[in-house]
mmCIF file with all atom_site columns, all heavy atoms in Angstrom:
data_model
loop_
_atom_site.group_PDB
_atom_site.id
_atom_site.type_symbol
_atom_site.label_atom_id
_atom_site.label_alt_id
_atom_site.label_comp_id
_atom_site.label_asym_id
_atom_site.label_entity_id
_atom_site.label_seq_id
_atom_site.pdbx_PDB_ins_code
_atom_site.Cartn_x
_atom_site.Cartn_y
_atom_site.Cartn_z
_atom_site.occupancy
_atom_site.B_iso_or_equiv
_atom_site.pdbx_formal_charge
_atom_site.auth_seq_id
_atom_site.auth_comp_id
_atom_site.auth_asym_id
_atom_site.auth_atom_id
_atom_site.pdbx_PDB_model_num
ATOM 1  N N   . LEU A 1 635 ? 28.384 -27.204 -3.456 1.00 0.00 ? 635 LEU A N   1
ATOM 2  C CA  . LEU A 1 635 ? 29.813 -27.180 -3.787 1.00 0.00 ? 635 LEU A CA  1
ATOM 3  C C   . LEU A 1 635 ? 30.290 -28.490 -4.374 1.00 0.00 ? 635 LEU A C   1
ATOM 4  O O   . LEU A 1 635 ? 29.792 -29.533 -3.899 1.00 0.00 ? 635 LEU A O   1
ATOM 5  C CB  . LEU A 1 635 ? 30.611 -26.838 -2.533 1.00 0.00 ? 635 LEU A CB  1
ATOM 6  C CG  . LEU A 1 635 ? 30.314 -25.446 -1.943 1.00 0.00 ? 635 LEU A CG  1
ATOM 7  C CD1 . LEU A 1 635 ? 31.030 -25.389 -0.569 1.00 0.00 ? 635 LEU A CD1 1
ATOM 8  C CD2 . LEU A 1 635 ? 30.867 -24.323 -2.866 1.00 0.00 ? 635 LEU A CD2 1
ATOM 9  N N   . PRO A 1 636 ? 31.246 -28.525 -5.315 1.00 0.00 ? 636 PRO A N   1
ATOM 10 C CA  . PRO A 1 636 ? 31.785 -29.758 -5.772 1.00 0.00 ? 636 PRO A CA  1
ATOM 11 C C   . PRO A 1 636 ? 32.392 -30.578 -4.683 1.00 0.00 ? 636 PRO A C   1
ATOM 12 O O   . PRO A 1 636 ? 33.016 -30.002 -3.750 1.00 0.00 ? 636 PRO A O   1
ATOM 13 C CB  . PRO A 1 636 ? 32.870 -29.325 -6.836 1.00 0.00 ? 636 PRO A CB  1
ATOM 14 C CG  . PRO A 1 636 ? 32.432 -27.903 -7.199 1.00 0.00 ? 636 PRO A CG  1
ATOM 15 C CD  . PRO A 1 636 ? 31.849 -27.408 -5.895 1.00 0.00 ? 636 PRO A CD  1
ATOM 16 N N   . ASN A 1 637 ? 32.358 -31.947 -4.778 1.00 0.00 ? 637 ASN A N   1
ATOM 17 C CA  . ASN A 1 637 ? 32.832 -32.793 -3.740 1.00 0.00 ? 637 ASN A CA  1
ATOM 18 C C   . ASN A 1 637 ? 34.349 -32.674 -3.505 1.00 0.00 ? 637 ASN A C   1
ATOM 19 O O   . ASN A 1 637 ? 34.867 -32.854 -2.429 1.00 0.00 ? 637 ASN A O   1
ATOM 20 C CB  . ASN A 1 637 ? 32.437 -34.247 -4.056 1.00 0.00 ? 637 ASN A CB  1
ATOM 21 C CG  . ASN A 1 637 ? 32.570 -35.114 -2.850 1.00 0.00 ? 637 ASN A CG  1
ATOM 22 O OD1 . ASN A 1 637 ? 32.581 -34.688 -1.721 1.00 0.00 ? 637 ASN A OD1 1
ATOM 23 N ND2 . ASN A 1 637 ? 32.789 -36.419 -3.136 1.00 0.00 ? 637 ASN A ND2 1
ATOM 24 N N   . ASP A 1 638 ? 35.100 -32.503 -4.611 1.00 0.00 ? 638 ASP A N   1
ATOM 25 C CA  . ASP A 1 638 ? 36.513 -32.471 -4.489 1.00 0.00 ? 638 ASP A CA  1
ATOM 26 C C   . ASP A 1 638 ? 37.075 -31.071 -4.518 1.00 0.00 ? 638 ASP A C   1
ATOM 27 O O   . ASP A 1 638 ? 38.236 -30.797 -4.825 1.00 0.00 ? 638 ASP A O   1
ATOM 28 C CB  . ASP A 1 638 ? 37.113 -33.233 -5.728 1.00 0.00 ? 638 ASP A CB  1
ATOM 29 C CG  . ASP A 1 638 ? 36.695 -32.733 -7.059 1.00 0.00 ? 638 ASP A CG  1
ATOM 30 O OD1 . ASP A 1 638 ? 35.787 -31.887 -7.065 1.00 0.00 ? 638 ASP A OD1 1
ATOM 31 O OD2 . ASP A 1 638 ? 37.272 -33.168 -8.010 1.00 0.00 ? 638 ASP A OD2 1
ATOM 32 N N   . SER A 1 639 ? 36.247 -30.099 -4.318 1.00 0.00 ? 639 SER A N   1
ATOM 33 C CA  . SER A 1 639 ? 36.693 -28.701 -4.500 1.00 0.00 ? 639 SER A CA  1
ATOM 34 C C   . SER A 1 639 ? 37.484 -28.296 -3.178 1.00 0.00 ? 639 SER A C   1
ATOM 35 O O   . SER A 1 639 ? 37.094 -28.474 -2.091 1.00 0.00 ? 639 SER A O   1
ATOM 36 C CB  . SER A 1 639 ? 35.466 -27.726 -4.571 1.00 0.00 ? 639 SER A CB  1
ATOM 37 O OG  . SER A 1 639 ? 35.904 -26.421 -4.505 1.00 0.00 ? 639 SER A OG  1
ATOM 38 N N   . GLN A 1 640 ? 38.734 -27.859 -3.472 1.00 0.00 ? 640 GLN A N   1
ATOM 39 C CA  . GLN A 1 640 ? 39.609 -27.262 -2.425 1.00 0.00 ? 640 GLN A CA  1
ATOM 40 C C   . GLN A 1 640 ? 40.118 -25.913 -2.804 1.00 0.00 ? 640 GLN A C   1
ATOM 41 O O   . GLN A 1 640 ? 41.044 -25.414 -2.115 1.00 0.00 ? 640 GLN A O   1
ATOM 42 C CB  . GLN A 1 640 ? 40.680 -28.171 -2.138 1.00 0.00 ? 640 GLN A CB  1
ATOM 43 C CG  . GLN A 1 640 ? 40.238 -29.613 -1.611 1.00 0.00 ? 640 GLN A CG  1
ATOM 44 C CD  . GLN A 1 640 ? 41.460 -30.502 -1.367 1.00 0.00 ? 640 GLN A CD  1
ATOM 45 O OE1 . GLN A 1 640 ? 42.554 -30.109 -1.327 1.00 0.00 ? 640 GLN A OE1 1
ATOM 46 N NE2 . GLN A 1 640 ? 41.131 -31.758 -1.106 1.00 0.00 ? 640 GLN A NE2 1
ATOM 47 N N   . ASP A 1 641 ? 39.562 -25.305 -3.782 1.00 0.00 ? 641 ASP A N   1
ATOM 48 C CA  . ASP A 1 641 ? 40.111 -24.024 -4.280 1.00 0.00 ? 641 ASP A CA  1
ATOM 49 C C   . ASP A 1 641 ? 39.734 -22.863 -3.425 1.00 0.00 ? 641 ASP A C   1
ATOM 50 O O   . ASP A 1 641 ? 40.454 -21.877 -3.421 1.00 0.00 ? 641 ASP A O   1
ATOM 51 C CB  . ASP A 1 641 ? 39.545 -23.748 -5.748 1.00 0.00 ? 641 ASP A CB  1
ATOM 52 C CG  . ASP A 1 641 ? 40.122 -24.802 -6.688 1.00 0.00 ? 641 ASP A CG  1
ATOM 53 O OD1 . ASP A 1 641 ? 41.168 -25.430 -6.353 1.00 0.00 ? 641 ASP A OD1 1
ATOM 54 O OD2 . ASP A 1 641 ? 39.507 -25.065 -7.735 1.00 0.00 ? 641 ASP A OD2 1
ATOM 55 N N   . SER A 1 642 ? 38.619 -22.942 -2.661 1.00 0.00 ? 642 SER A N   1
ATOM 56 C CA  . SER A 1 642 ? 38.168 -21.760 -1.855 1.00 0.00 ? 642 SER A CA  1
ATOM 57 C C   . SER A 1 642 ? 38.070 -22.190 -0.399 1.00 0.00 ? 642 SER A C   1
ATOM 58 O O   . SER A 1 642 ? 37.880 -23.364 -0.104 1.00 0.00 ? 642 SER A O   1
ATOM 59 C CB  . SER A 1 642 ? 36.815 -21.272 -2.328 1.00 0.00 ? 642 SER A CB  1
ATOM 60 O OG  . SER A 1 642 ? 35.786 -22.135 -2.012 1.00 0.00 ? 642 SER A OG  1
ATOM 61 N N   . SER A 1 643 ? 38.179 -21.235 0.490  1.00 0.00 ? 643 SER A N   1
ATOM 62 C CA  . SER A 1 643 ? 38.089 -21.469 1.906  1.00 0.00 ? 643 SER A CA  1
ATOM 63 C C   . SER A 1 643 ? 36.677 -21.926 2.216  1.00 0.00 ? 643 SER A C   1
ATOM 64 O O   . SER A 1 643 ? 36.468 -22.752 3.137  1.00 0.00 ? 643 SER A O   1
ATOM 65 C CB  . SER A 1 643 ? 38.406 -20.183 2.731  1.00 0.00 ? 643 SER A CB  1
ATOM 66 O OG  . SER A 1 643 ? 37.469 -19.157 2.356  1.00 0.00 ? 643 SER A OG  1
ATOM 67 N N   . ALA A 1 644 ? 35.644 -21.493 1.528  1.00 0.00 ? 644 ALA A N   1
ATOM 68 C CA  . ALA A 1 644 ? 34.272 -21.898 1.748  1.00 0.00 ? 644 ALA A CA  1
ATOM 69 C C   . ALA A 1 644 ? 34.134 -23.436 1.446  1.00 0.00 ? 644 ALA A C   1
ATOM 70 O O   . ALA A 1 644 ? 33.532 -24.206 2.278  1.00 0.00 ? 644 ALA A O   1
ATOM 71 C CB  . ALA A 1 644 ? 33.317 -21.073 0.929  1.00 0.00 ? 644 ALA A CB  1
ATOM 72 N N   . ALA A 1 645 ? 34.785 -23.911 0.388  1.00 0.00 ? 645 ALA A N   1
ATOM 73 C CA  . ALA A 1 645 ? 34.693 -25.279 0.097  1.00 0.00 ? 645 ALA A CA  1
ATOM 74 C C   . ALA A 1 645 ? 35.383 -26.135 1.101  1.00 0.00 ? 645 ALA A C   1
ATOM 75 O O   . ALA A 1 645 ? 34.930 -27.178 1.548  1.00 0.00 ? 645 ALA A O   1
ATOM 76 C CB  . ALA A 1 645 ? 35.251 -25.572 -1.294 1.00 0.00 ? 645 ALA A CB  1
#
Side-chain angles (χ1 to χ4, degrees):
L635 295 170
N637 193 26
D638 58 350
S639 174
Q640 297 182 8
D641 295 334
S642 68
S643 61

